[in-house]
């Protein structure tokens, strides 16, 4: 059964496909569609709202099961910001755009924050919608860390060079892809979603209908 992964990132599609293989879904990317679907405006105020918005939008547009994620960085000293606007943080402050500009701005905003208050977390929320656009399952997970005063590592993307995983003594930009996948907010959320899918959505026509009928509200861990 086809599952549209609402991203143009080929690496992310492969990551989703690897973890969800046992659920009976065949993950495909937006780029595989015959016609391009315009990108929706992410107007939600929470990660969950945006994930659900995207999953519903793409499911209806493609008339397919669709999986969407929304993720970002929450910094305690900034009252949870940048949050849902993590990827546009510098742009919203007229300080450029892109990962490098976002990191520079965040470092400036944190320059006087002492070590003990530099706590932060990456958050990921996943939403699964059926072909009618109904949200069937959601899953959320995080990874806790601290923000450094300078970047370290050349892997990953976004705020990875600044995000120290204290238990490992390395930033997420210093981890290999496999190491990061094991501990990351997205990897953990995907494994949560896989468990929910295996419990609530057994992939046969008859049992799927029964599962849908008995799951009127989105289920989240």
């Amino acid at each position: 059964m086809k599952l549209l992964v609402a991203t143009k990132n080929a690496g992310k599609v492969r990551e989703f496909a690897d973890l969800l293989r046992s659920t009976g879904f065949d993950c495909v990317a937006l780029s595989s569609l015959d016609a391009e679907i315009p990108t929706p405006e992410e107007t939600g105020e929470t990660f969950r709202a945006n994930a659900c918005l995207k999953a519903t939008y793409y499911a209806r547009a493609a008339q397919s099961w669709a999986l969407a994620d929304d993720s970002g960085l929450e910094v305690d000293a900034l009252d949870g910001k940048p949050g849902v606007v993590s990827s546009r943080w510098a742009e919203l402050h007229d300080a450029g755009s892109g990962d490098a500009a976002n990191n520079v701005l965040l470092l400036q905003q944190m320059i006087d924050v002492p070590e003990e208050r530099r706590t932060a977390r990456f958050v990921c929320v996943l939403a699964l919608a059926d072909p009618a656009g109904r949200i069937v399952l959601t899953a959320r997970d995080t990874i806790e860390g601290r923000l450094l005063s300078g970047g370290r590592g050349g892997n990953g993307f976004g705020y990875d060079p600044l995000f120290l995983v204290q238990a490992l003594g390395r930033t997420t930009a210093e981890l290999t892809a496999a190491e990061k996948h094991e501990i990351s907010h997205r990897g953990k959320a995907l494994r949560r979603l896989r468990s929910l899918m295996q419990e609530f959505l057994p992939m046969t026509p008859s049992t799927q209908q029964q599962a849908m009928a008995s799951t009127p509200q989105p289920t989240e861990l």
Side-chain angles (χ1 to χ4, degrees):
M1 189 175 301
K2 183 175 76 173
L3 174 61
L4 180 64
V5 180
T7 179
K8 296 180 180 179
N9 185 317
K12 187 182 290 188
V13 175
R14 287 193 298 270
E15 181 181 339
F16 282 34
D18 286 344
L19 271 174
L20 299 180
R21 198 177 311 280
S22 62
T23 63
F25 278 115
D26 178 22
C27 292
V28 298
L30 288 173
S31 58
S32 70
L33 300 178
D34 294 333
E36 184 174 354
I37 300 175
T39 302
E41 185 177 358
E42 298 181 26
T43 56
E45 296 183 359
T46 65
F47 294 116
R48 188 181 188 278
N50 278 330
C52 290
L53 180 155
K54 289 184 284 187
T56 293
Y57 172 85
Y58 283 109
R60 289 174 176 169
Q63 296 184 326
S64 166
W65 286 84
L67 174 63
D69 82 297
D70 199 55
S71 57
L73 179 70
E74 293 181 342
V75 180
D76 292 325
L78 299 179
D79 297 324
K81 297 179 178 64
V84 295
V85 294
S86 292
S87 63
R88 297 179 287 123
W89 191 234
E91 183 180 347
L92 293 174
H93 288 78
D94 296 321
S97 62
D99 290 350
N102 288 334
N103 285 333
V104 168
L105 176 60
L106 185 61
L107 286 174
Q108 293 173 346
Q109 294 170 324
M110 297 290 289
I111 195 167
D112 294 323
V113 178
E115 175 68 22
E116 66 273 12
R117 295 189 56 234
R118 299 178 73 90
T119 52
R121 70 202 50 80
F122 281 126
V123 179
C124 175
V125 175
L126 297 167
L128 176 69
D130 69 12
R134 295 171 296 193
I135 299 300
V136 178
L137 299 172
T138 64
R140 180 184 189 275
D141 219 313
T142 66
I143 178 174
E144 299 288 333
R146 287 182 180 274
L147 295 180
L148 299 178
S149 56
R152 280 175 22 192
N155 298 329
F157 58 93
Y159 299 96
D160 282 341
L162 304 181
F163 191 85
L164 179 70
V165 182
Q166 291 178 281
L168 301 178
R170 288 183 287 169
T171 68
T172 42
E174 294 177 303
L175 302 177
T176 66
E179 289 174 326
K180 182 181 175 184
H181 182 67
E182 284 298 313
I183 67 166
S184 75
H185 50 311
R186 184 174 293 110
K188 290 159 68 177
L190 269 169
R191 287 188 286 274
R192 282 180 177 268
L193 185 69
R194 180 179 61 187
S195 295
L196 286 169
M197 291 168 74
Q198 291 171 333
E199 181 177 358
F200 292 103
L201 295 176
M203 286 301 131
T204 64
S206 60
T207 55
Q208 181 180 313
Q209 290 177 1
Q210 294 171 8
M212 290 291 296
S214 62
T215 314
Q217 299 297 324
T219 302
E220 180 173 358
L221 284 182

